[in-house]
Structure formats: C-alpha cells, structure tokens
Amino acid sequence: MISRLLVANRGEIARRVFASCRRLGIETVAVHSDADAGLPFVAEADHAVRLPGNAPADTYLRIDLLIEAARRSGADAVHPGYGFLSENADFARAVIDAGLTWVGPPPEAIEAMGDKVRAKEIAAAAGVPVLSAPDRPTETDLPLLVKASAGGGGRGMRVVRTLDRLDAEIEAARAEAKSAFGDGTVFVEPYVEAGRHVEVQVMADAAGVVAMGTRDCSVQRRHQKVVEEAPAPGLSPQTEAAMCEAAERLAEGIGYRGAGTVEFLHDPGADRFFFLEMNTRLQVEHPVTELVRGMDLVEAQLAVAEGRALPHDVPHRGGHAIEVRLYAEDATYVPQSGHLLTFDLPADGGFDLLGRSGVRVDSGFSSGDEVSTFYDAMLAKVMAWAPTREQAIRMLVGALERARIHGVTTNRDQLVDILGDPVFVAGEMTTTWLESRPISAESPSDSQASARTAVIAGALMLAADDAERRTVQQGIPAAWRNVVSQPQRTIFEGHEPVEWWGTRDGFVVDGVTVLGVSPTHARLESDGVTTETRGHMSSDAPGSPRELWVDGPLLSARLREVPRFTDPADAVASGSLLAPMPGTVVKVAVEAGTPVAAGDVVLVLEAMKMQHTVTAPHAGTVTEINVEPGAQVASGEVLAVVEEDA
C-alpha cells in the first residue's frame, strides 16, 4: 500500500493527483523549481522539496534530483503526471531500482511506444492501420508532418508544404524536442489535412485491458489541443467499436498496465482511421472521460500500482463532457507571462467527478500568482458535464463569460468564440479547422453598446480612484469646478474619449445615468437597463498610466489609460524588432550589417518550452543586434533594428 506519494511534476496535474491522494489518505510530496515555489501545488502538498533552478533541464527533467527528493522526503511511490519525464523509460526504471513504487506502465511498454517509429511497427503487427512516409519524399508526398519521437503537446511538430523547407523544419523540430523532452529524435509521416483527432482511453491491470470510450481532440492550434470532449461526436457505432478494439489489442500486445491513451487520425470522408501514437501516461484531457464514466482515473492508477484489480465492467454515467484549455496567450497564440492579479473561475467543483451536471475547474494557479516564462502556458482546464452536448456547450460558455481574469492576456474570449461557432456546434471540426478560420480577438464586451459601457465605467472608476488618492480637498466631489468650461476627458488605447463632469451630486455622462461609482465598481443605467461592473487596477503609482480590467454581465474589457504627455524616451527607432514575450534568445541568425528580405529570420526566442521566430518586417539592412544567445529578454525589449531599404 502506498503511504507517501511524490509527484514528479508541477502545476495543475500535481494538484490533480494530490486531490485523489487526499481522498485516499495518502500523504503527498511536491517538487518545485524556484519559479514555482509560490504556486498552489506546493502549498497543498504535505511535504515539498526544492529543485534549484528554473529551466526544465535543471529541475523537472533531472532524474537524479527527483530520486533524491523521494529519498529525502520519505516517499515510497512516484507519480510522473504528464509531460516532462512521464514517458521516460529510464526514469521509470530509476524509480523501480530505488525500491519505490512506480505509478505508471512497465518501462518496457513505455519504451515500445516511446519510439514512435517502433510504435507504428507494433501497431501494424497488431492489425491497426498506420500512416507511413517514403524514405525519400517527393512533391507528390506533400504535405508532410515532422514529429518528435519522444514528443507530445505539439512540441517538436512541423508541417512541411514545400520540399525546400523540409531540412529546416526538421532542424527546428529537433531543437524544440530536445529542449522540451531531452530527446531530439524526429520522424516524418504524411499529413492528413482534414482529419479528426480521436483517441481512446484505456485502463489495464493483470487481468487485461478495457477501453473506456472515445474523446475528440480535433480543435488544435500549432498541434496543441485546445478543446476536448467525450464521447467523440458524430462517430458511427461501428467505427467507435473498431477504434476501441484496436486500442485494446495494441495495449494487450505490449503488456500494458495502468492508464494510457491510443490516438487515432480519423478520416471522416472515408470513415477510416489510422494509428498516430500511444501516450503511456495520463492525458491532460482525462477529466472528460472521468465525468462521463464516473471513475477517478488517478485512483485507478494508484490501485494498479498497488497490485489491486480494476473493475472490468467500467461504469458509464453517460451525458457529455467538454473541456477547454485556458492559456496565457494572446490572439496570435503568443505565450504571455506576468502577475495574475485576479483569477476567478466559477465552478461547481475542482479535481473531482461532480455529483451532478455542472462545471469543473482544474487549475494550477490562483489570484496573485506569477505566470513564468519557463513552462507551459496553460493556466487551467475548464470543463462542463451535462446530459447533452448542447447543454454542456451552453454551460461551459456561461462559466467562461463569468470568469474574472486580470493581469495576463488569455485565450478566454477565443474559447467562447470557438464554442459558439456553427462548425463546432455541429461537431464537424477537424485538426486544421481552427487555424484555417479567422479567430476573433474580440471579447464579449466588443459589441458597440457593451464596449462603450465598459469604457465609461472604467473612466469613472479612474476618476473615483484619483479622488480617493488626493490629500487635499477630500470633501470636494471629483473634478468639481465652480465655473465649468469643458468636460473632463479620459482616453483609453483604441477607444473614443469619454467626456464627463464632476458635480455636487456625482458624475454626469451624456446618455448614461450614473447610479454609483467607486474605484472598484460602477453602476450605470442606459436605455432603462442597469449594468453592474467591477474593476481592478494594475498600477498603484499616482499619476502614472494605469491599466484597468472591467467585468460585468457579458462584458470583459482590458483598458489601458493614455497618458496626457508622452515621454520621448519611450519612443523606439523605426524598424526595431521588439520581443513579443519574455524569453530566452536561443539563436541569432544574422549579424549587424547583413542585408535581409522581408520575412527572413533574425532571431529565435524560446518561451514556455516553445520556439518563436522573430523575422524582418521588411527588406533592408540589420543595423543593430542588441542580444546574444542565452540572453534573457523582457517583453517589448528592442532585440534588433532593420533599417528599410531606400
């Protein structure tokens, strides 16, 4: 029996495993990097061990440090979570050799499926259809997909549409895979443009393997999943049964134990499917299966690790579950970092099976936490379980719209947009759908009326804040004048100015009745409808430009105050290439004095385990290079300057 479990991971998945351990009476041990020391998963563990440093290669990917942490903390078992070393056979062996219980499949099974080339051979031998690319591809074989053999989560994956880009994309995939997984091995396979990503959850013990139904994970950006649901919509019963049988055959053929996922590419036009890979671990999206099955998969993992038998008549609670991944990223999928001022997601539960239909939130962060640049950009998984798919969509949209997230840009509004798209509602999405459609960068407040309400509310909150801060004439109404010559003006970036007056009786704005204002609230009436809004300011420096988040019913806006006067020192030279995010410079492709064409790569940054290229905005000459490989840069920092040709 396991008495003290170390989770060799971080964030949301560490909290998820801890939640099951608490219910089972198992003590928990967290390991954490320096950047993660203040996060909730560390505080929730019974014991915690510091891994000095921040980079994954120095912390969560160090097998020796993790085994030593287990020894020092008195842990008798190790759960790998997902990502990092979760599919590393050497880590599994090291845990077992140290006399600890490994909560995962046998190292031999990890090894068999970890080499994705060998995994395809095993799948083919088991009668599972596979995709294969020729050794020397030609134009007729395009497009191709470069994939990391040890990869996952979209890292180390590149689509190649022209043969002249093949070598460069292979090199980029190798570098990204090496950074994320410690293994730069890649392979190439045909890329199916309009397929669906459907996977089967399996659980296995000594008595055999049981498939627990399908999940659809087709909504992806940059090969990373964004929306997942169970069961996969629109599959014929025959196809679903064939997928489950193929997954069971494959897992049984390698002597699998514990939780695993077999991933398939489904061609809806021909109603056929191909084996992609097997993930020998718990998936990020496992909760949607838990909700429709009514089974705690982490508890099942622990039972198998302890040598206990699983129920092979797996319950099926029914209904439909949908999960979205809430990322710290902007509308162009660039990861964001910073201080998470407010993180309030309405939920009926977290890390549990829910006793009735509702919303579950599995999060790695809380209000006040710092989102660093060292790890994945996912903040939380928000999921809804309801009797029907349509009800689950509506419930999930409502939860996202009511969320209050301040301090870091997220994809929340895009998730709402995706869930309401007719293609998604009809269940007709494919793996290329998301990146082929224009994703709205607008928030729920971007209808003309609600946007204006948010801007007016924000302007009045700033005025109320100014009035509270002043040290003289505190009894005088905000901006009050004996002789009024003109209204006060507040301007936010990208919005029309707000003109308002401060009177004895409060604020006056044309077309709006102001019922109440404070630095954190504004109650406005327009056309007979009263709207209650809440605000949160990011800056406490009096007189400095402020950033304000305004929330209300179907209303969420991030407002940046435009200062009355601009400091010339804030201006940057024309042609300056600015860092799109905080990160590390991994490559400088040119030198000062080098001529470049528009789109040529100038630098490569790495942030949150992903590589991002910084390209020349126009043809010209590189006149400045201000960084070198290994340098840490802040968002907005000038990296280089490309002077445009005359």
Side-chain angles (χ1 to χ4, degrees):
M1 297 290 288
I2 295 170
S3 60
R4 183 175 296 177
L5 177 77
L6 181 144
V7 177
N9 218 294
R10 62 180 297 278
E12 170 269 326
I13 186 56
R15 296 185 74 193
R16 167 68 191 89
V17 176
F18 292 163
S20 290
C21 287
R22 281 193 297 272
R23 288 194 288 270
L24 297 170
I26 298 173
E27 289 187 49
T28 56
V29 181
V31 290
H32 66 88
S33 66
D34 293 334
D36 284 346
L39 291 187
F41 81 95
V42 179
E44 289 179 3
D46 297 309
H47 311 275
V49 179
R50 173 178 174 249
L51 304 176
N54 289 314
D58 299 329
T59 53
Y60 299 106
L61 291 174
R62 284 281 300 272
I63 294 176
D64 56 336
L65 294 183
L66 295 170
I67 298 298
E68 175 63 15
R71 185 195 65 77
R72 289 167 55 194
S73 64
D76 57 358
V78 174
H79 191 298
Y82 55 70
F84 293 131
L85 294 170
S86 62
E87 295 179 280
N88 187 302
D90 291 338
F91 180 48
R93 288 194 180 95
V95 170
I96 295 168
D97 291 345
L100 305 170
T101 297
W102 167 249
V103 184
E108 295 75 21
I110 297 175
E111 217 157 41
M113 293 294 103
D115 181 341
K116 291 182 172 55
V117 176
R118 182 183 169 197
K120 285 191 171 189
E121 295 171 350
I122 295 173
V128 180
V130 299
L131 289 167
S132 59
D135 294 333
R136 296 183 179 180
T138 65
E139 294 287 344
T140 59
D141 299 311
L142 297 172
L144 297 169
L145 183 65
V146 182
K147 296 180 68 174
S149 181
R155 297 176 187 86
M157 292 181 70
R158 293 287 194 279
V159 176
V160 181
R161 300 188 183 278
T162 59
L163 287 180
D164 62 326
R165 291 293 305 163
L166 182 58
D167 291 343
E169 297 294 2
I170 287 175
E171 180 185 352
R174 281 174 176 159
E176 197 166 88
K178 180 68 175 177
S179 173
F181 312 109
D183 183 349
T185 305
V186 300
F187 66 96
V188 179
E189 67 180 21
Y191 181 58
V192 178
E193 292 277 8
R196 289 179 60 189
H197 186 119
V198 180
E199 58 191 32
V200 175
Q201 174 74 55
V202 297
M203 284 298 306
D205 60 11
V209 181
V210 58
M212 299 182 63
T214 59
R215 295 189 290 252
D216 187 289
C217 308
S218 300
V219 183
Q220 303 177 8
R221 92 283 189 269
R222 295 181 177 176
H223 311 294
Q224 286 190 302
K225 301 166 186 174
V226 179
V227 183
E228 300 105 340
E229 56 184 303
L235 287 184
S236 67
Q238 296 79 8
T239 299
E240 183 165 7
M243 282 185 177
C244 290
E245 291 169 6
E248 290 177 345
R249 286 200 309 273
L250 179 63
E252 287 170 353
I254 58 173
Y256 201 77
R257 298 288 185 274
T261 296
V262 182
E263 300 190 343
F264 298 101
L265 182 65
H266 177 243
D267 180 355
D271 195 18
R272 57 180 182 167
F273 61 90
F274 303 94
F275 171 76
L276 286 176
E277 61 187 22
M278 182 177 186
N279 295 127
T280 52
R281 54 172 168 80
L282 198 66
Q283 292 281 87
V284 177
E285 58 272 21
H286 76 274
V288 293
T289 297
E290 289 187 320
L291 292 173
V292 298
R293 289 281 171 169
M295 181 179 184
D296 184 329
L297 293 181
V298 173
E299 182 178 348
Q301 284 185 295
L302 296 170
V304 172
E306 291 178 335
R308 292 184 281 124
L310 294 174
H312 278 244
D313 53 341
V314 179
H316 190 275
R317 195 158 55 171
H320 201 92
I322 303 177
E323 170 184 299
V324 294
R325 301 191 189 189
L326 184 66
Y327 285 101
E329 64 182 22
D330 67 13
T332 62
Y333 310 133
V334 174
Q336 305 291 296
S337 61
H339 191 56
L340 198 56
L341 299 172
T342 307
F343 196 54
D344 181 10
L345 299 167
D348 300 294
F351 306 107
D352 60 27
L353 301 179
L354 296 180
R356 57 181 176 82
S357 60
V359 175
R360 165 176 163 177
V361 174
D362 290 7
S363 170
F365 293 86
S366 59
S367 295
D369 289 337
E370 193 74 20
V371 181
S372 77
T373 62
F374 297 103
Y375 314 110
D376 187 84
M378 190 176 75
L379 301 176
K381 302 181 309 198
V382 187
M383 59 213 82
W385 172 52
T388 68
R389 186 172 185 268
E390 293 76 16
Q391 290 172 309
I393 292 174
R394 183 174 62 186
M395 194 177 292
L396 189 51
V397 167
L400 292 169
E401 288 178 336
R402 293 193 304 274
R404 299 181 68 227
I405 309 168
H406 305 153
V408 176
T409 299
T410 73
N411 67 331
R412 185 268 304 271
D413 299 331
Q414 289 188 337
L415 294 174
V416 172
D417 186 44
I418 290 167
L419 293 173
D421 190 288
V423 172
F424 181 82
V425 173
E428 297 173 350
M429 54 281 178
T430 66
T431 56
T432 57
W433 169 67
L434 184 57
E435 294 188 351
S436 65
R437 74 184 282 272
I439 294 294
S440 172
E442 297 180 348
S443 73
S445 70
D446 283 327
S447 70
Q448 186 173 356
S450 58
R452 193 61 184 164
T453 298
V455 171
I456 293 172
L460 298 183
M461 289 181 200
L462 291 188
D465 183 62
D466 290 336
E468 281 200 1
R469 289 177 182 274
R470 66 188 182 195
T471 57
V472 296
Q473 297 181 327
Q474 290 184 342
I476 303 298
W480 182 80
R481 299 289 187 273
N482 279 322
V483 179
V484 179
S485 62
Q486 60 185 352
Q488 301 291 319
R489 286 167 59 91
T490 301
I491 305 175
F492 296 109
E493 291 179 8
H495 296 279
E496 292 295 320
V498 177
E499 296 189 342
W500 54 274
W501 289 263
T503 72
R504 295 177 185 274
D505 301 320
F507 297 101
V508 174
V509 181
D510 287 344
V512 175
T513 301
V514 183
L515 302 177
V517 175
S518 76
T520 58
H521 289 82
R523 194 161 181 255
L524 310 177
E525 182 185 308
S526 178
D527 196 24
V529 178
T530 300
T531 301
E532 184 81 28
T533 61
R534 293 182 291 175
H536 189 111
M537 265 173 263
S538 65
S539 173
D540 291 326
S544 66
R546 287 161 290 186
E547 192 168 48
L548 179 71
W549 285 262
V550 179
D551 298 292
L554 298 180
L555 183 157
S556 178
R558 183 179 188 176
L559 305 173
R560 297 176 186 270
E561 183 185 23
V562 176
R564 295 180 64 187
F565 306 102
T566 303
D567 188 342
D570 292 336
V572 296
S574 174
S576 295
L577 304 185
L578 308 182
M581 75 212 77
T584 303
V585 178
V586 296
K587 180 180 179 180
V588 177
V590 297
E591 299 176 347
T594 303
V596 292
D600 282 357
V601 176
V602 178
L603 305 106
V604 178
L605 293 180
E606 184 171 281
M608 297 180 176
K609 299 192 289 184
M610 296 287 283
Q611 292 195 351
H612 308 269
T613 55
V614 178
T615 60
H618 45 242
T621 302
V622 178
T623 58
E624 292 181 26
I625 292 289
N626 300 324
V627 293
E628 57 186 22
Q632 296 285 329
V633 297
S635 179
E637 184 174 334
V638 178
L639 306 175
V641 177
V642 178
E643 187 174 305
E644 190 170 9
D645 289 338

